[in-house]
Amino acid sequence: MNKIEAIIRYETLQAVQDALDEIGVSGLNVTEVKGCGRQKGYTEHYRGSSANISLLPKLKIESVVPADVTDRAVEAIVAAAYTGETGDGLLFVLPVTQAVRIRTGERGVETIRHQTPAGWGY
């Protein structure tokens, strides 16, 4: 299993979510974050004063996927979040060594697969 963390623009969230849905990835956490990188922020002027705003609002999406789905999920996110502008974001893939469904005690990859009418997802 791998955890995918991506920092993306607000306006690309729906496209990213739709792209992940198409490949069967439905488990997703979204967090509002602020950060700085190559985009460098902007200067705001208010009543004659200037303020350099270096932390920009972004979204952090996280999903844990089976190892055999990781590459497809990464490609789906990158394609959906791409605008070609500075500040499109970053994506990280981290190994997950263990997962436990608290309610049932299930362990391993079965905790992240979902039941669909046609059988197990992914």
Side-chain angles (χ1 to χ4, degrees), residues 2 42 49 64 70 75 86 97:
N2 291 300
Y42 59 95
S49 297
V64 177
T70 301
E75 293 306 317
T86 302
T97 59

Side-chain angles (χ1 to χ4, degrees), residues 84-117:
E85 304 282 325
T86 302
D88 274 352
L90 291 167
L91 185 142
F92 307 98
V93 177
L94 301 98
V96 173
T97 59
Q98 187 174 28
V100 179
R101 184 177 306 277
I102 295 171
R103 179 179 56 86
T104 63
E106 279 179 286
R107 293 179 180 270
V109 74
E110 295 309 313
T111 62
I112 59 172
R113 295 190 190 271
H114 61 279
Q115 183 71 39
T116 64

